[in-house]
Amino acid sequence: MSAIKKVVLAYSGGLDTSVILKWLQETYGCEVVTFTADIGQGEELEPARAKAQAAGVRQIYIDDLREEFVRDFVFPMFRANAIYEGEYLLGTSIARPLIAKRLIEIANEVGADAVSHGATGKGNDQVRFELGAYALKPGVRVIAPWREWDLLSREKLLDYAEQHGIAVDRYGRKSPYSMDANLLHISYEGQVLEDPWQEAEEDMWRWTVSPEKAPDVPRYLELGFQRGDIVAIDGQALSPAQVLATLNRIGGEHGIGRLDLVENRYVGMKSRGCYETPGGTIMLKAHRAIESITLDREVAHLKDELMPRYASLIYNGYWWSPERRMLQGMIDASQQYVNGVVRLKLYKGNVIVAGRKSEDTLFDMNIATFEDDAGAYNQADADGFIKLNALRMRIAALKGR
Amino acid sequence: MSAIKKVVLAYSGGLDTSVILKWLQETYGCEVVTFTADIGQGEELEPARAKAQAAGVRQIYIDDLREEFVRDFVFPMFRANAIYEGEYLLGTSIARPLIAKRLIEIANEVGADAVSHGATGKGNDQVRFELGAYALKPGVRVIAPWREWDLLSREKLLDYAEQHGIAVDRYGRKSPYSMDANLLHISYEGQVLEDPWQEAEEDMWRWTVSPEKAPDVPRYLELGFQRGDIVAIDGQALSPAQVLATLNRIGGEHGIGRLDLVENRYVGMKSRGCYETPGGTIMLKAHRAIESITLDREVAHLKDELMPRYASLIYNGYWWSPERRMLQGMIDASQQYVNGVVRLKLYKGNVIVAGRKSEDTLFDMNIATFEDDAGAYNQADADGFIKLNALRMRIAALKGR
Amino acid sequence: MSAIKKVVLAYSGGLDTSVILKWLQETYGCEVVTFTADIGQGEELEPARAKAQAAGVRQIYIDDLREEFVRDFVFPMFRANAIYEGEYLLGTSIARPLIAKRLIEIANEVGADAVSHGATGKGNDQVRFELGAYALKPGVRVIAPWREWDLLSREKLLDYAEQHGIAVDRYGRKSPYSMDANLLHISYEGQVLEDPWQEAEEDMWRWTVSPEKAPDVPRYLELGFQRGDIVAIDGQALSPAQVLATLNRIGGEHGIGRLDLVENRYVGMKSRGCYETPGGTIMLKAHRAIESITLDREVAHLKDELMPRYASLIYNGYWWSPERRMLQGMIDASQQYVNGVVRLKLYKGNVIVAGRKSEDTLFDMNIATFEDDAGAYNQADADGFIKLNALRMRIAALKGR
Amino acid sequence: MSAIKKVVLAYSGGLDTSVILKWLQETYGCEVVTFTADIGQGEELEPARAKAQAAGVRQIYIDDLREEFVRDFVFPMFRANAIYEGEYLLGTSIARPLIAKRLIEIANEVGADAVSHGATGKGNDQVRFELGAYALKPGVRVIAPWREWDLLSREKLLDYAEQHGIAVDRYGRKSPYSMDANLLHISYEGQVLEDPWQEAEEDMWRWTVSPEKAPDVPRYLELGFQRGDIVAIDGQALSPAQVLATLNRIGGEHGIGRLDLVENRYVGMKSRGCYETPGGTIMLKAHRAIESITLDREVAHLKDELMPRYASLIYNGYWWSPERRMLQGMIDASQQYVNGVVRLKLYKGNVIVAGRKSEDTLFDMNIATFEDDAGAYNQADADGFIKLNALRMRIAALKGR
């Protein structure tokens, strides 16, 4: 295989990717281009620039991708009511395809023949990065240092950093957990969480207060939907990233969106993770509520049946696959009439639907009423409906089954 | 069609079925046998006996079906994590097939040629009763008075009652809502709920306190599972009905299990309903948690993909169908290793998983760890895994797609 | 319910619909508008005009819908490789929604308040007509004489015809079977076919010779595809209806497309039917062949998994439903690259794929070769691929499962 | 990783596995145990014994697995009507899990720490062997020489054989194709087949005559089913392997079961293959026919919807996975009443259903008849059935959709 000349590295400026940056320069003797994205992780990006410069990087990309992230990735996913394994809102999974896309765009711009990332060989993220990279640039080389090097413990990493003069100050606030954050969520893995019987410690959580510490007064909220996406909060039009940031703030204040689960990784093992997804938790509940009055029954059921597969595609890293795009086209088409307003009550961890209305509602008070409906619905129709639906079972029973 | 000689009526002793009892006697000139079941609705049954006797009924069945209800209907359904339309725990739906079964058993015992029920022609319950009845006794006649008579308003019903000397005292505590209750839940429909934008009134709810009024101190709970069913609470072995009753009590105290939704009825319209399912809400969360460490990934995913259909079968009244039984066999088989303990924290409406453990766990700390795993997992394997999973997309990209 | 003023009748000019025409005039005292369509059933339409005029009909619609039928109904359905219950190519099912659509269009044009058809109360066609009619014009009245009148035997029908001076000459060539024909197929039901153990008689079949009587020399055929549809035969561009007519002729000559089956009707019973679908049988085989080289694996698999449901939707009459449209959008999108040529060999009932090629092929000879591929594929990748796919099963086995 | 002491090799006695046998001895310096199975591939096994002895093998396993193969693998698969990608009857796929199981059993018996096979690194078979091996013995080492060595061309292989005194006489009848055979099928890959536009040559096919050369007189056949399996042919009880061998012989004589396709491999590329599956082609057609009269509609539809996934599981090598077993349990349960007789007509490549009967039939002539049914079915029931099924679409249309 030919030598690598230039590699684009997904670079956070933290310890791991700083070591990788140096290691790539040393091991491959190639030029490294760094790419640092703001996807709402809540960290300063300029320190990453300074560090990259200090490491001799000449081409440094720092992009604010927050709007694109929510508009083109988070929102489309929520149109599907996607949940992985009944619980997980896919906060980490959904950010990776955007990073992969931007890595490849930059590789094309700078004429790089390789990309690199800091995901480990045990996790899902390597798969998500690399499936995206290969799908978008089939000839690209991918360097995954965690699968190549022997710096497999924290000590070795710190040793390497020290030997190569790499400053170590990973997070402003020190955490023992392996964390990932973006506008949709923050996640925690490792340490005591590696025992599924151990409850997460209260001081682990960063984005939300506990339900216990949330306000004693509920907060009502009105979310305006257009084609399945939230476009306004309490009547005020907001951009996608503004919507999510606002819901994160309010949800976090009310103790909403904590999750503690054991999930099945694509690479084959079970792992324990804790997640905070305040805005996403609110969005999912509200989206189901607006769909409940605007979506046809069979369309809704078909969406529900396909949802687990759609969620697995995203979880497993197939965002850029033709099958995900095909499903997305169908999901997006289903949202044509998913317009209206949902009223929610937030209270100490609870997201409670307090009302929903829409000019595109399919709810028909005249037909649904318990009172006399003046002939809108002929109750006698139910007789034939039941009889024919029962016919095959009656025949079977008559035959002695 | 031949005349009806004897009919078994699902009889609550309330206004509606008391009128039906009289109406059947008058309209069909036939003997009526009453059947009243205790499925945990929380009402005295002896008044029903007295009323039936007063109406001249000679064969009166009053059965305590609570254990059978939970053991043979609720528990099997929860093994599937069944939720209809992303929200509804199927509390009403799951009780109907048991009533249908018992109606038919009694019809066979007393030599009746017909059964009757008080469900209206607009709802799902008529379908559930009748599909069950036809599946179990294909030649049975079903009399659904609400689809036949002209007593379509409350006034007419009350007039009829007065004219025929039927006492009116439907519920101990007066409610304007159309309600249904059993050990799994209580439901509310009608009145202000007919406008989906109207929030339910606080004094409608009967089984749960509001999260606001729930205790300020969380309650921890340990649920013991065997083959997917809860068999113990805090180490104490309990029967199925005891499990559910206990969880209802505790859940209700902590404001758990309220739900407000718009659902799609099988007969074709959307309807608004409010539900309290305290025990069921806890059971679902706990069951997913114990499955998360004991179930194979692909088994879990297959269950998730089939769940919406399974839930629809129950919602639509197909409990006694061959396809529901076929799915049930598969679901039950999947629960062989779903054993262990789940620790929950209940607090003001929240059900929070605080731990899960099992001797049948598939969670492997050695493989999942972020620390050095001493070779339990070879990170280099991920390279080939990703490359081959990407191959079809790479080929497509090379071909210009 | 208000009186009916004008009704549009799906009118073939045969005995049944001629009786219906008279019966509608007599029973409802309303004006009848007739609609007769050429969908390739192979009958003269002008006799229908004469008969309708003789019956006093003033507004007579006779439309050639063959191109629309194939272009907008048959072709979209074949993009999905739709087969009902593993065998049936849906020849009758797919014509009904077009008739329903045109009935409603005419009803709107002439200001009719009702439509009527000659389908019986036991079959699927009534459902297909009426679901379409209601979906397209929700307030329309539907008159289904077979469900209303008492002319339930052939004798009564003939008596009625005689009494009302209706000429009886149903088919040019007399048949004892209940038949339905359009450009996609001809079907046979009834008579000896009502016993599933009886083999169909050779002289029943009308469109195809038996394989025994087909030529001893095979016929090669090249079918050109664009976006999943056949647009050329042996290099000659043809319209949709021309394609199907040509394939019917050639297929029929070679004994292709006979089918004898027992199917499950939507109304609940099993029924025996025989079908001739020469062109459709060829199209399905060819479409799968062109997809085999142009479609992504996962897209193809997703299509295959959804196909049975899509086929049921069409069989059950839900062409105009939102869920069929949603699936169609996805299926159509999948056909973007389904271009190329398929070479077939037809011989005595066999449709044999002899070759397929495409500029959009995803088949890569360099990778697939059994010879040395010069590094196009790294065999060592398979090791990690297998190991990680096996991981969950290894862990389970280690835990003693 | 520790040294390997003893390896069980799946050994055919052909060139490839003879080279592998020597290569294992040389490369790993370990004892090799050979395992040769008769699964109906139609080759003498004793030559394999002699060759293994000549190579110094001391533990030689030669097993007749034909009955087990058909009874426990082929028959269960056909209960599902399994077809991969609409065409392929999974002839190669279904044999691999049996070989894997027996390899592991022998490894356990002889105390081997490894198994080895001759499948290449590009194909599906390596996956099928190894997933099975890992699932059944999680700690086993697998040696896949084709992924390790550098003997990647035929010339190198022949050179190696010559240098090590390995006799070369691969097949009794010389073939340029890569072939695989067992009781279910024989397959061909490679050579001219690598161009999907090239038609297969007539002299490639070994098990079937061409339809052109098949007898001019059709052959009728009656197949007796019990619980979904064929247990008798023309009234004569036969064992599973006898059934399949008999159907292969008869089918082959009548030119039945040739298939030419492009399939999607699990490892990511498309490949062209030709298959002869005479008995399997007959079995599939017959099984669908007996199911058509004995299976409930919804059970059949659910089976059809799950079939593609079940087929993929087998194709991809997941026979021993918990999800395949779970699906199998459901499929097997569905076959309880799949009993009866199917009458087939075989003629020049065609398998034509000529009749089906069963004491467990659900076909009811009285209900299905076109004649007067004496009230068995009330046609008026269809009215309500249609109206309620249409309701949601009517409401939507009224709302302007």
Side-chain angles (χ1 to χ4, degrees), chain A residues 12 21 76 85 117 133 199-200 204 212 238 265 274 282 311 326 338 341 366 395:
Chain A
S12 73
L21 168 48
E85 300 188 338
H117 63 76
E199 190 173 1
M204 175 190 77
E212 287 91 332
L238 295 173
R265 288 196 191 147
C274 289
I282 295 169
M326 183 168 74
V338 182
V341 178
N366 293 326
I395 294 172

Side-chain angles (χ1 to χ4, degrees), chain D residues 113 115 235 252 293 330-331 365 376 388:
Chain D
D113 45 359
V115 295
I293 58 168
M330 190 170 77
I331 290 160
M365 222 177 280
L388 293 202

Side-chain angles (χ1 to χ4, degrees), chain D residues 89-392:
Chain D
L89 293 176
L90 297 162
T92 300
S93 325
I94 192 61
R96 302 316 189 196
L98 169 57
I99 303 299
K101 166 177 168 275
R102 195 70 193 107
L103 275 176
I104 294 303
E105 286 171 352
I106 294 170
N108 288 337
E109 280 171 36
V110 304
D113 45 359
V115 295
S116 183
H117 61 76
T120 79
K122 283 189 174 179
N124 297 302
D125 286 332
Q126 57 177 343
V127 190
R128 296 164 186 155
F129 281 130
E130 297 177 29
L131 289 181
Y134 289 136
L136 297 170
K137 187 179 172 76
V140 76
R141 294 273 295 278
V142 176
I143 307 175
W146 284 99
R147 301 202 302 257
E148 294 189 21
W149 68 24
D150 55 359
L151 306 176
L152 291 176
S153 71
R154 182 123 294 255
E155 292 72 45
K156 289 182 184 166
L157 212 64
L158 289 166
D159 284 353
Y160 186 97
E162 195 172 349
Q163 286 161 19
H164 294 79
I166 298 168
V168 176
D169 61 357
R170 228 182 351 148
Y171 299 103
R173 179 177 147 200
K174 204 76 183 178
S175 167
Y177 300 99
S178 173
M179 291 164 50
D180 174 70
N182 59 50
L183 251 183
L184 181 54
H185 94 336
I186 182 167
S187 69
Y188 311 88
E189 294 183 298
Q191 301 297 323
V192 299
L193 300 181
E194 293 192 353
D195 176 1
W197 184 245
Q198 284 288 319
E199 191 173 1
E201 294 164 339
E202 178 54 34
D203 68 356
M204 175 191 76
W205 307 97
R206 297 192 166 199
W207 282 17
T208 60
V209 300
S210 69
E212 287 92 333
K213 293 193 180 146
D216 289 329
V217 180
R219 167 77 139 96
Y220 281 83
L221 212 57
E222 287 190 14
L223 303 178
F225 280 89
Q226 271 182 19
R227 292 181 160 264
D229 299 336
I230 300 175
V231 296
I233 299 180
D234 287 337
Q236 188 183 354
L238 295 171
S239 74
Q242 288 171 333
V243 163
L244 190 45
T246 304
L247 294 179
N248 279 338
R249 183 178 49 75
I250 299 174
E253 289 168 6
H254 287 275
I256 287 160
R258 290 186 177 184
L259 190 62
D260 179 335
L261 55 74
V262 174
E263 72 199 55
N264 289 291
R265 287 194 191 148
Y266 190 31
V267 292
M269 82 278 280
K270 291 181 182 291
S271 79
R272 163 79 168 295
C274 289
Y275 301 95
E276 288 171 286
T277 323
T281 302
I282 295 169
M283 290 204 305
L284 176 65
K285 189 82 175 177
H287 187 256
R288 277 216 172 263
I290 192 66
E291 282 195 341
S292 77
I293 58 168
T294 57
L295 223 55
D296 171 80
R297 181 184 72 200
E298 295 302 311
V299 166
H301 290 193
L302 188 53
K303 280 188 69 202
D304 279 351
E305 291 185 49
L306 290 170
M307 185 277 282
R309 171 175 305 212
Y310 174 88
S312 283
L313 285 175
I314 293 178
Y315 186 86
N316 292 347
Y318 289 93
W319 180 267
W320 296 110
S321 71
E323 65 273 22
R324 203 280 310 172
R325 297 179 195 217
M326 183 167 77
L327 282 171
Q328 192 72 56
M330 190 170 77
I331 290 160
D332 292 354
S334 76
Q335 303 292 294
Q336 182 179 0
Y337 297 105
V338 182
N339 309 313
V341 179
V342 173
R343 191 158 171 264
L344 295 176
K345 175 183 172 184
L346 310 183
Y347 176 71
K348 286 187 185 290
N350 297 277
V351 184
I352 298 159
V353 177
R356 51 311 240 176
K357 66 180 177 185
S358 171
E359 296 194 355
D360 291 299
T361 185
L362 293 172
F363 183 91
D364 188 317
M365 222 177 280
N366 293 326
I367 288 180
T369 186
F370 276 77
E371 306 301 313
D372 195 322
D373 64 7
Y377 176 97
N378 181 0
Q379 302 211 16
D381 286 341
D383 194 57
F385 179 74
I386 296 168
K387 287 240 178 71
L388 293 202
N389 278 317
L391 184 56
R392 65 186 168 94

Side-chain angles (χ1 to χ4, degrees), chain C residues 118-139:
Chain C
T120 79
K122 282 188 174 180
N124 297 301
D125 286 332
Q126 57 178 343
V127 190
R128 296 164 186 155
F129 280 130
E130 298 176 29
L131 289 181
Y134 289 137
L136 298 171
K137 187 179 174 74

Side-chain angles (χ1 to χ4, degrees), chain A residues 234-265:
Chain A
D234 287 337
Q236 186 183 354
L238 295 173
S239 74
Q242 288 171 333
V243 163
L244 190 45
T246 304
L247 294 179
N248 278 338
R249 182 178 49 74
I250 299 174
E253 288 168 7
H254 287 275
I256 286 161
R258 292 185 177 185
L259 190 62
D260 178 335
L261 54 75
V262 174
E263 73 199 55
N264 289 291
R265 288 196 191 147

Side-chain angles (χ1 to χ4, degrees), chain D residues 28-47:
Chain D
Y28 286 88
C30 65
E31 183 179 349
V32 179
V33 177
T34 59
F35 159 54
T36 309
D38 185 353
I39 49 170
Q41 65 270 50
E43 288 172 22
E44 289 294 316
L45 303 189
E46 285 309 314

